[in-house]
């Protein structure tokens, strides 16, 4: 007999966030909407479109807020995230990570049958050929963008001649549509000095620009040139070749991004936790450890407690310690923590508890949570 589990909710619409069970994710929707409006007004009247990256929010409801604000479409990192968004009725989706192997190719082609506007990046002719062969006689046409390595040294073909060679090979594959290129400078997003970040971004964009010009000079059409995260998208938009930017973190922000780029976008999401033990003066234990707050970018930061530091104390426990004196909190108190890295933190949770002025207005499922395939 199959065991069917129901999601356990931490609270109800209409309640105050103080009544939520913990740990859970709370989103100040007024701030998230203000962040969206700040981002879209930054690009209003400019030549670039905005295609926000949903690797951060992983939630169709946020995708719909982006589209309502004027987004061109959305990005996702993984095919399984694209499946979630397509199921929610979102059509223009770019998968920004390469897929490889029969299982993924087949799964992408299946998705394409119902969602013909799902695009994917490629950086090797073998994948392009596999997509081309798989699509034969199937009534679908994969839409691909070539990923160009503009300096991150992750995926992506080298700019210049290697990228041109790949574009020429792909343009001969009749079952594919070559839509454009992606050049993502993820390694620059958190450079703290703005001038330095801008300078490095301009150098990365110069590689993208010259490669686009080279490919176009051979008569190959590139409609989309997409790149840029929260820390660089404004600089990318100045590059003549770029047609769209793909920031993601701006909607919630996190400790690491705030330290790098400042407060243009405000913190909209925190993890709500409860003090479960006060074993010693100046030290309390909360119910949020590694399973609630990721630590790949360091520890989270208490949102409203000054002179208090958070450190994880295991899977389910976290320490709050006063720099000096007593802690301004007691057993049973709720505390808010700003995640150090939002993407990896929210992938640990099932729902967003969205509030306005502390009153819960929506509980949204993080439908892309755990969708890492
Ligand atoms: C390809 C790609 N584009 C855009 C983004 C969004 O960047 P950010 O969350 O820094 O705004 C990411 C984030 O990792 C990414 O991998």
């Amino acid at each position: 007999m199959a065991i069917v589990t129901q999601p356990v909710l931490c609270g109800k619409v209409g309640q105050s966030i103080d009544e939520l069970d913990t740990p859970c994710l709370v989103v100040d929707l007024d701030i998230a909407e203000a962040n969206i409006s700040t981002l879209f007004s930054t690009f209003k009247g400019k030549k670039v479109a905005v295609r926000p990256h949903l690797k951060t929010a992983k939630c169709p409801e946020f995708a719909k807020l982006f589209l309502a604000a004027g987004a061109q479409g959305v990005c996702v990192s993984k095919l399984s995230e694209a499946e979630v968004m397509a199921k929610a009725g979102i059509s223009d989706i770019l998968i920004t990570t390469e897929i490889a192997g029969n299982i993924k190719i087949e799964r992408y082609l299946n998705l394409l049958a119902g969602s013909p506007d799902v695009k994917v990046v490629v950086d090797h002719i073998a994948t392009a050929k596999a997509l081309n062969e798989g699509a034969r006689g199937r009534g679908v046409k994969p839409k691909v963008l070539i990923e160009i390595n503009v300096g991150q040294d992750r995926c992506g073909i080298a700019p210049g001649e290697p990228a041109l060679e790949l574009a020429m090979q792909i343009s001969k594959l009749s079952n594919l549509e070559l839509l454009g290129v992606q050049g993502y400078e993820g390694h620059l997003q958190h450079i703290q000095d703005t001038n330095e970040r801008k300078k490095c971004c301009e150098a990365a964009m110069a590689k993208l620009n010259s490669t686009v010009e080279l490919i176009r000079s051979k008569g190959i059409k590139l409609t989309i040139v997409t790149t840029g995260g929260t820390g660089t998208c404004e600089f990318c938009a100045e590059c003549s070749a770029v047609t769209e930017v793909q920031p993601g973190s701006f909607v919630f922000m996190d400790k690491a991004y705030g330290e790098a780029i400042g407060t243009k976008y405000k913190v909209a999401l925190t993890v709500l936790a409860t003090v479960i033990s006060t074993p010693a003066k100046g030290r309390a234990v909360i119910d949020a450890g590694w399973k609630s707050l990721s630590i790949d970018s360091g520890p989270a930061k208490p949102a409203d407690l000054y002179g208090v530091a958070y450190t994880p104390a295991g899977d389910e426990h976290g320490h709050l310690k006063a720099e000096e004196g007593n802690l301004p909190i007691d057993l049973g108190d709720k505390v808010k923590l700003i995640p150090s890295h939002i993407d990896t933190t929210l992938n640990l949770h099932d729902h967003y508890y969205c509030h306005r002025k502390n009153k819960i207005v929506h509980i949204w499922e993080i439908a892309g949570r755990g969708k890492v395939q």
Side-chain angles (χ1 to χ4, degrees), residues 14 36 44 49-50 56 68 74 94 121 125 139 155 163 166 174 185 203 239 265 273 275 277 338 357:
I36 295 171
K44 198 159 183 225
V50 182
T56 306
V74 297
L94 169 63
V121 298
I125 189 60
C155 293
L166 181 58
S174 57
E185 60 304 321
C239 166
Y265 304 105
V275 177
S277 176
I338 303 168
K357 299 188 175 33

Short mmCIF file of all heavy atoms in Angstrom, two decimals, residues 14 36 44 49-50 56 68 74 94 121 125 139 155 163 166 174 185 203 239 265 273 275 277 338 357:
data_model
loop_
_atom_site.label_atom_id
_atom_site.label_comp_id
_atom_site.label_asym_id
_atom_site.label_seq_id
_atom_site.Cartn_x
_atom_site.Cartn_y
_atom_site.Cartn_z
N GLY A 14 -3.72 34.51 7.02
CA GLY A 14 -4.50 35.33 7.97
C GLY A 14 -3.83 35.43 9.34
O GLY A 14 -4.07 36.38 10.08
N ILE A 36 11.49 43.54 -7.20
CA ILE A 36 11.14 43.26 -8.60
C ILE A 36 10.95 44.58 -9.34
O ILE A 36 11.48 44.79 -10.43
CB ILE A 36 9.86 42.39 -8.66
CG1 ILE A 36 10.11 41.02 -8.05
CG2 ILE A 36 9.37 42.24 -10.11
CD1 ILE A 36 8.88 40.14 -7.85
N LYS A 44 14.07 49.58 -17.69
CA LYS A 44 13.00 50.17 -18.49
C LYS A 44 13.60 51.15 -19.51
O LYS A 44 14.45 51.96 -19.19
CB LYS A 44 12.03 50.92 -17.57
CG LYS A 44 10.73 51.17 -18.22
CD LYS A 44 9.65 51.44 -17.20
CE LYS A 44 8.37 51.59 -18.00
NZ LYS A 44 7.54 52.61 -17.68
N ALA A 49 16.10 42.94 -22.61
CA ALA A 49 14.95 42.36 -21.94
C ALA A 49 15.44 41.72 -20.64
O ALA A 49 16.64 41.53 -20.44
CB ALA A 49 14.31 41.31 -22.84
N VAL A 50 14.50 41.40 -19.76
CA VAL A 50 14.86 40.74 -18.49
C VAL A 50 14.24 39.33 -18.49
O VAL A 50 13.05 39.17 -18.75
CB VAL A 50 14.35 41.55 -17.28
CG1 VAL A 50 14.77 40.87 -15.98
CG2 VAL A 50 14.88 42.98 -17.31
N THR A 56 16.84 30.69 -8.16
CA THR A 56 16.71 31.26 -6.82
C THR A 56 15.35 30.93 -6.21
O THR A 56 15.27 30.19 -5.23
CB THR A 56 16.91 32.79 -6.85
OG1 THR A 56 18.13 33.09 -7.49
CG2 THR A 56 16.89 33.38 -5.46
N ALA A 68 4.48 39.27 -14.91
CA ALA A 68 3.56 40.41 -14.81
C ALA A 68 4.33 41.73 -14.79
O ALA A 68 3.83 42.76 -15.23
CB ALA A 68 2.72 40.28 -13.54
N VAL A 74 11.63 33.19 -18.55
CA VAL A 74 12.38 32.88 -17.33
C VAL A 74 13.54 31.95 -17.65
O VAL A 74 13.55 31.29 -18.69
CB VAL A 74 11.48 32.21 -16.25
CG1 VAL A 74 10.37 33.15 -15.80
CG2 VAL A 74 10.91 30.89 -16.75
N LEU A 94 14.29 29.18 -20.46
CA LEU A 94 15.65 28.82 -20.89
C LEU A 94 16.32 28.01 -19.79
O LEU A 94 16.42 28.46 -18.64
CB LEU A 94 16.47 30.09 -21.16
CG LEU A 94 17.98 29.89 -21.35
CD1 LEU A 94 18.29 29.02 -22.59
CD2 LEU A 94 18.71 31.23 -21.46
N VAL A 121 20.88 25.30 -23.23
CA VAL A 121 22.23 25.65 -23.70
C VAL A 121 23.02 24.38 -24.04
O VAL A 121 22.81 23.33 -23.44
CB VAL A 121 23.02 26.50 -22.66
CG1 VAL A 121 22.34 27.83 -22.40
CG2 VAL A 121 23.25 25.74 -21.36
N ILE A 125 29.27 19.67 -29.68
CA ILE A 125 28.53 19.21 -30.86
C ILE A 125 27.85 17.86 -30.62
O ILE A 125 26.79 17.58 -31.20
CB ILE A 125 29.46 19.17 -32.13
CG1 ILE A 125 28.64 18.92 -33.40
CG2 ILE A 125 30.57 18.18 -31.97
CD1 ILE A 125 27.59 19.95 -33.72
N GLY A 139 8.22 15.66 -34.57
CA GLY A 139 7.36 16.85 -34.55
C GLY A 139 7.78 17.90 -33.53
O GLY A 139 6.97 18.74 -33.16
N CYS A 155 31.13 25.56 -17.39
CA CYS A 155 30.78 25.04 -18.71
C CYS A 155 31.06 26.12 -19.75
O CYS A 155 31.44 27.23 -19.43
CB CYS A 155 29.30 24.67 -18.77
SG CYS A 155 28.87 23.27 -17.72
N ALA A 163 34.03 28.74 -30.64
CA ALA A 163 32.57 29.01 -30.60
C ALA A 163 32.02 29.14 -32.02
O ALA A 163 30.93 28.62 -32.33
CB ALA A 163 32.30 30.29 -29.81
N LEU A 166 31.66 25.67 -33.55
CA LEU A 166 30.47 24.98 -33.02
C LEU A 166 29.20 25.57 -33.64
O LEU A 166 28.28 24.82 -34.03
CB LEU A 166 30.44 25.10 -31.49
CG LEU A 166 29.27 24.40 -30.78
CD1 LEU A 166 29.23 22.90 -31.10
CD2 LEU A 166 29.36 24.60 -29.26
N SER A 174 19.49 20.20 -39.25
CA SER A 174 18.21 20.73 -39.72
C SER A 174 17.06 20.58 -38.72
O SER A 174 16.05 21.25 -38.83
CB SER A 174 17.83 20.07 -41.04
OG SER A 174 17.81 18.66 -40.84
N GLU A 185 28.92 35.25 -16.40
CA GLU A 185 30.12 35.60 -15.64
C GLU A 185 29.86 35.45 -14.14
O GLU A 185 29.97 36.40 -13.36
CB GLU A 185 30.60 37.01 -16.02
CG GLU A 185 29.62 38.16 -15.77
CD GLU A 185 28.26 38.04 -16.43
OE1 GLU A 185 28.20 37.58 -17.58
OE2 GLU A 185 27.28 38.38 -15.80
N ALA A 203 35.43 43.23 -19.36
CA ALA A 203 36.40 42.34 -20.04
C ALA A 203 35.70 41.05 -20.49
O ALA A 203 35.92 40.55 -21.60
CB ALA A 203 37.57 42.03 -19.11
N CYS A 239 26.76 46.23 -22.81
CA CYS A 239 27.49 45.55 -23.89
C CYS A 239 26.58 45.51 -25.12
O CYS A 239 25.43 45.10 -25.03
CB CYS A 239 27.85 44.14 -23.42
SG CYS A 239 28.39 43.04 -24.74
N TYR A 265 18.85 46.25 -3.55
CA TYR A 265 17.77 45.28 -3.34
C TYR A 265 17.81 44.90 -1.85
O TYR A 265 18.89 44.69 -1.30
CB TYR A 265 17.97 44.05 -4.23
CG TYR A 265 18.10 44.43 -5.69
CD1 TYR A 265 19.35 44.42 -6.33
CD2 TYR A 265 17.00 44.85 -6.41
CE1 TYR A 265 19.47 44.81 -7.65
CE2 TYR A 265 17.11 45.24 -7.73
CZ TYR A 265 18.35 45.23 -8.34
OH TYR A 265 18.48 45.62 -9.64
N ALA A 273 13.08 31.06 13.25
CA ALA A 273 13.48 29.96 14.14
C ALA A 273 13.02 30.27 15.56
O ALA A 273 12.62 31.40 15.87
CB ALA A 273 15.00 29.79 14.11
N VAL A 275 13.89 29.85 19.84
CA VAL A 275 14.87 29.54 20.89
C VAL A 275 14.36 28.32 21.65
O VAL A 275 13.28 28.34 22.24
CB VAL A 275 15.06 30.74 21.85
CG1 VAL A 275 16.03 30.37 22.97
CG2 VAL A 275 15.54 31.96 21.09
N SER A 277 16.53 26.44 23.79
CA SER A 277 17.30 26.20 25.01
C SER A 277 18.14 27.44 25.32
O SER A 277 18.63 28.12 24.40
CB SER A 277 18.20 24.97 24.80
OG SER A 277 19.04 24.76 25.91
N ILE A 338 18.95 35.92 8.39
CA ILE A 338 19.17 36.19 6.97
C ILE A 338 20.11 35.12 6.44
O ILE A 338 21.26 35.02 6.90
CB ILE A 338 19.81 37.59 6.75
CG1 ILE A 338 18.93 38.67 7.38
CG2 ILE A 338 20.06 37.84 5.27
CD1 ILE A 338 19.59 40.04 7.47
N LYS A 357 3.21 43.17 6.23
CA LYS A 357 3.16 43.73 7.59
C LYS A 357 2.88 42.64 8.62
O LYS A 357 1.98 42.76 9.47
CB LYS A 357 2.12 44.84 7.67
CG LYS A 357 2.47 46.00 6.72
CD LYS A 357 1.59 47.20 6.90
CE LYS A 357 2.01 48.37 6.03
NZ LYS A 357 2.58 48.10 4.74
#
